[in-house]
């Protein structure tokens, strides 16, 4: 960590700051230049509060050389983490596809979709029971009943379940859910992160719509700092000025996260683009970029439904995407 | 609400959709053009799920003419809401300044700052006890103890208190806090919004870092839909590409929100800019733009503290800002 | 085109507007609802100025159903355009890799790099002679001399040349340059677009850092409206809040542009990421997403140079990337 | 300037880099830490290419302590620049309002508006003759004829003229235009900047839609580096995710630019908001924030025009805004 002092800093102010750093257990290298003084801090700077130090009157700027996260950091954990979700492995060369409907709607729907995606190549089933919606008047999910229907689909197919949690007080309902998902809007809901960090459930953490990769990693660190090491990261599109797609899928997040962390990285092309016909090219691109898995929205489109969802695939379309992704992955070896 | 159908939509598909809209209690005006069919929906469209309709195969685009929010909407509540916080009024011509430290640090600090800002023109005291931090290793606030110290400052000065809540399970601790603040990162923590909506406490809702005004209003609607009408909106800077200031203060939010809603609008120039010397010009500009109040960070800077915080004012500096703001408001009459 | 009138619009105002639309050669379908009146405009609305109509006092909102661009529009030109650059085809299934150094530095450098990338699989040579730089004090390129060196490399290898133009008055220097590049910062330099539109040179048009795909297409339309149909679009990363990569590569632009236009789409992973080791995964992902070509920065790294450029590959690294891309493309058939 | 070397940098690589810095005339302070080596560069670092140094294999990061701009820098020119535009002063306490129509449409229009805004308090007349438009099919301005009509309005009222230039080859047409405006989309059209930098005309440089203040200053530096010191900066709204206003006016740019540069700063609330009724509060806020002037769109709304433009004021509305701004400015003394 480098701290550059302002020109006007007095020797007394400087010494006070150096002493304070030393009290935090750091070694301080002082380099006095003609125009500025640079303090190089050596030791465990994780506990140092960037904002606090940066806000000091005498500090021109601070710059971290080492990252403020530890447990998620690849530097201290060079090998890929492999996460075992009830027998399904992800990370370290293990590729997994999570598929299913945006919302659980009925027993028939979820069982039919579950069987369909399993046949098409998915290894985990997703389904929303608690839905975060911008409007209080929009459908908020089937809640506890939706969880029960997911459990029936798991009993039927044996697939591990992925479902979003929005409230730590609901954790008891998620006992049979194998992976709890933290949605993009809750990425910095630190209280929820701490709560799932106290469990041993696998957490699928989605990147917020306007968050940096570093912020995503700091949120994963919140979970791991509580003792839970089973974290999967998910890029699901960020907010940009483009309006043709719902969000903009940031595929460079895949190689970037692979450098920064040992955690598995999953791509959600359905939410990122919001357009069913763009799921196939983006799923293939994600695989080519080195992702550890995909999360794809699939709906069974029964006659009762008005029409296809804009971003959902049918099980048949899903099977074709999964096959193309498989071919891309073979070409990469 | 206007729904434009795709060229390829069949008469059967169209009629099915029209019938569904009618089942939702809407009247449907059909306008068949050469190249597209437009459905004009008349009635209460608040309950219609934009995303669902927009995702239908046969729908080219949908466009709301009336907003999806009701209780926050100025159209249905033309007069400004005046919120009475334990005797301090805000909105409808009543201007209030909330001031205090970012974090409560000690009894001496909070009492001294409280007295200082009261003397300088503040009518409410803010102080953070629970602090949302990007890093799990950064200082997270004094928590329950911080709340107690705020209560002592209230007993001393009589000023109503404003403090951030991050977890609905903490609500019992906030009994004597007059205004609970929902921070920017929790603006779409819908579970927390619903929880404070079930109380009768005034809620100060901060706009998220990358959220639109419409999203802010939808979050306020979550609170009001639960029955709590005491909501104050706060613009505190949005994320842009500019790096000189911490965030970018969007002052056009003031006249924009004044058109859209009857709720009071407060500006936080301290968090928006992150630079103490920019608080004065931005506070003056906020008043000139028609804001109902300000939220300003003030620290007492005791000898024990290393230095001034970068974005905090001293009580003396605060008094000067308050005086300049007063003069601007007089010039507006 | 749909025009929704405000509630308060009088019959007289409405009729005046309808008459004006009819004078522009459009047929107007009027749909009078309880709360609003909708005008559906049928005919060639390309010439209608969105902003002008949207700014009218009585207009609530306007919505284009058909796009404001014609010549770039796939609707009016369903087949992929295949552009022939001096014998090298791109588009319609023809994949081309453009490679070379950011700046031309010397004869030895450009000849060595040209031979290297040709051996590695590139079919066109890029090299900057005029360099757009944020600072007037940074190196601005070798200018006319750089163009001459490129010509020598072309004579040596037979590869067509790609080089950026910043000033229409320089066009005479680009006589032997096969593809003139319009950089991201000049994407909306409409005078330059018109100038290259008057030539018959192939134009490689880069998307601006904060521009939408529609804006990119409108800029391409500027070129085509002047008569030049040889336009290649290039996505090179957009500005987002992420700081790990220089910009954020928007690969969903590939399938999106493929839907909207018949023009070839090229991806520049070097400028998008700014990091050499991320060029390989992003080039592979671009191919998997369906791009028609790549633009990759390659430097020969002679002993005289201080070190490797951060985003440049060596010819050897480039050859490996090209081979991996070839394998991905084979897996897609 | 601080250069932090990577852990793996060899002594040989380090010494080579230090030698190169010394050849550029800089003094290098080396601070060897346990985990990294920091080079502090002392001297004129303006000529150092950040991107080049940052891209070196052995460099972890670089950080400028002093800014890469000189002529625009307040550090080297502590007093406010006062620019005299044909008798009208701006900067250093001199406040000027520029007003007029978006486009010159006819002699009657421009003369009537000119007289109206002069009576209302404007001291310069703006009018567009060359209009940058996203679509090649939208109205591109009256061009040379528009310039002539502006000259007639100047002859009539004596007001100095402000008009946008898009092409350096048009400079001869701007002989009687007192201030040439560089539009937001041309902010980084470096060739145009250099061309106007070679004249002695006052240049009003608008900030690009997604550009930082530093980039704006670098573009101003391009003009000044050619010898032209008469530069006025203009904030006209930046692109954000907000859709209620056309762009987001960044008023913190006023105090920020006042710290960084001695050049006058003008605010354009009309283009920033795109909504006439928001011009008044934003103009007042701009004055309260310390701007040196305003640029406001005013139209005379003759019977022949369909309706009011959405963002234009009538001369009467303009006069009221100017009066309110005057009152705000008085309250600031």
């Amino acid at each position: 960590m480098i701290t550059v002092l302002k020109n006007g800093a007095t020797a007394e102010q400087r010494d006070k700051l150096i002493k304070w750093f030393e009290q935090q257990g750091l070694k301080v290298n002082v380099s006095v230049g003609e125009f500025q003084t640079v303090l190089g801090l050596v030791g465990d700077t994780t506990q140092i509060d960037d904002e606090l130090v940066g806000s000091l009157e005498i500090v021109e700027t601070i710059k971290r050389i080492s990252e403020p996260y530890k447990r998620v950091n690849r530097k201290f954990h060079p090998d890929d983490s492999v996460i075992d979700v009830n027998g399904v492995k992800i990370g370290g060369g293990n590729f997994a596809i999570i598929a299913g409907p945006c919302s659980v709607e009925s027993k028939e729907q979820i069982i039919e979709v579950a069987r369909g995606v399993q046949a098409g190549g998915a290894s985990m089933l997703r389904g929303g029971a608690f839905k975060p919606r911008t409007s209080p008047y929009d459908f908020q999910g089937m809640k506890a009943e939706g969880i029960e229907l997911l459990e029936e689909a798991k009993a039927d197919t044996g697939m591990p379940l992925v479902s979003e949690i929005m409230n730590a007080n609901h954790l008891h309902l998620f006992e049979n859910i194998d992976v709890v998902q933290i949605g993009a809007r809750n990425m910095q809901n630190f209280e929820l992160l701490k709560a799932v960090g106290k469990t041993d459930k696998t957490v699928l953490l989605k990147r917020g719509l306007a968050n940096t990769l570093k912020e995503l990693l700091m949120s994963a660190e919140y979970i791991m700092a509580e003792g839970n090491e089973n974290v999967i990261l998910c890029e699901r599109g960020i907010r940009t000025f483009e309006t043709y797609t719902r969000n903009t899928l940031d595929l460079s997040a895949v190689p970037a996260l692979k450098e920064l962390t040992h955690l598995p990285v999953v791509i959600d092309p359905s939410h990122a683009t919001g357009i069913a016909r763009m799921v196939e090219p983006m799923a293939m691109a994600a695989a080519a970029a080195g992702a550890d898995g995909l999360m794809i929205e699939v709906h069974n489109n029964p006659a009762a439904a008005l029409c296809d969802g804009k971003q959902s695939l049918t099980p048949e379309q899903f099977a074709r995407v999964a096959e193309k992704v498989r071919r891309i992955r073979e070409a990469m070896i």
Side-chain angles (χ1 to χ4, degrees), chain A residues 255-270:
Chain A
L257 288 171
K258 290 283 163 196
E259 293 184 2
L260 298 170
T261 183
H262 51 89
L263 297 172
V265 178
V266 157
I267 294 295
D268 177 347
S270 305

Side-chain angles (χ1 to χ4, degrees), chain A residues 8 30 32 56 116 163 175 221 243 251 256 264 296 309 324 330:
Chain A
V30 186
V32 181
L56 302 178
S163 198
E175 211 177 315
E221 186 82 10
T243 56
L251 280 182
I296 293 179
K324 291 208 173 184
E330 277 177 8

Side-chain angles (χ1 to χ4, degrees), chain A residues 13-66:
Chain A
Q13 286 176 306
R14 188 189 64 198
D15 293 347
K16 211 161 144 191
L17 180 60
I18 290 171
K19 202 171 158 193
W20 183 82
F21 280 133
E22 288 171 347
Q23 284 164 355
Q24 314 303 311
L26 300 171
K27 206 181 135 218
V28 184
N29 289 326
V30 186
S31 152
V32 181
E34 202 169 336
F35 294 127
Q36 73 269 330
T37 298
V38 179
L39 309 182
L41 308 182
V42 180
D44 179 6
T45 58
T46 319
Q47 320 286 330
I48 296 294
D49 191 331
D50 288 44
E51 219 170 291
L52 176 69
V53 175
S55 75
L56 302 178
E57 190 72 32
I58 60 166
V59 172
E60 172 85 34
T61 186
I62 67 158
K63 181 103 196 163
R64 277 196 178 274
I65 307 306
S66 51

Side-chain angles (χ1 to χ4, degrees), chain A residues 273-326:
Chain A
T273 63
I275 301 175
R277 61 187 182 273
M278 288 175 68
V279 170
E280 181 177 301
M282 289 298 99
M284 292 165 75
D292 297 298
L294 293 165
M295 187 153 179
I296 293 179
E297 214 170 296
V298 179
H299 197 282
N300 60 339
N301 186 29
L306 273 168
C307 318
D308 273 6
K310 200 183 226 166
Q311 76 191 27
S312 284
L313 302 180
T314 60
E316 296 69 36
Q317 291 170 322
F318 168 73
R320 199 174 56 224
V321 172
E323 167 60 18
K324 291 208 173 184
V325 165
R326 200 188 52 72

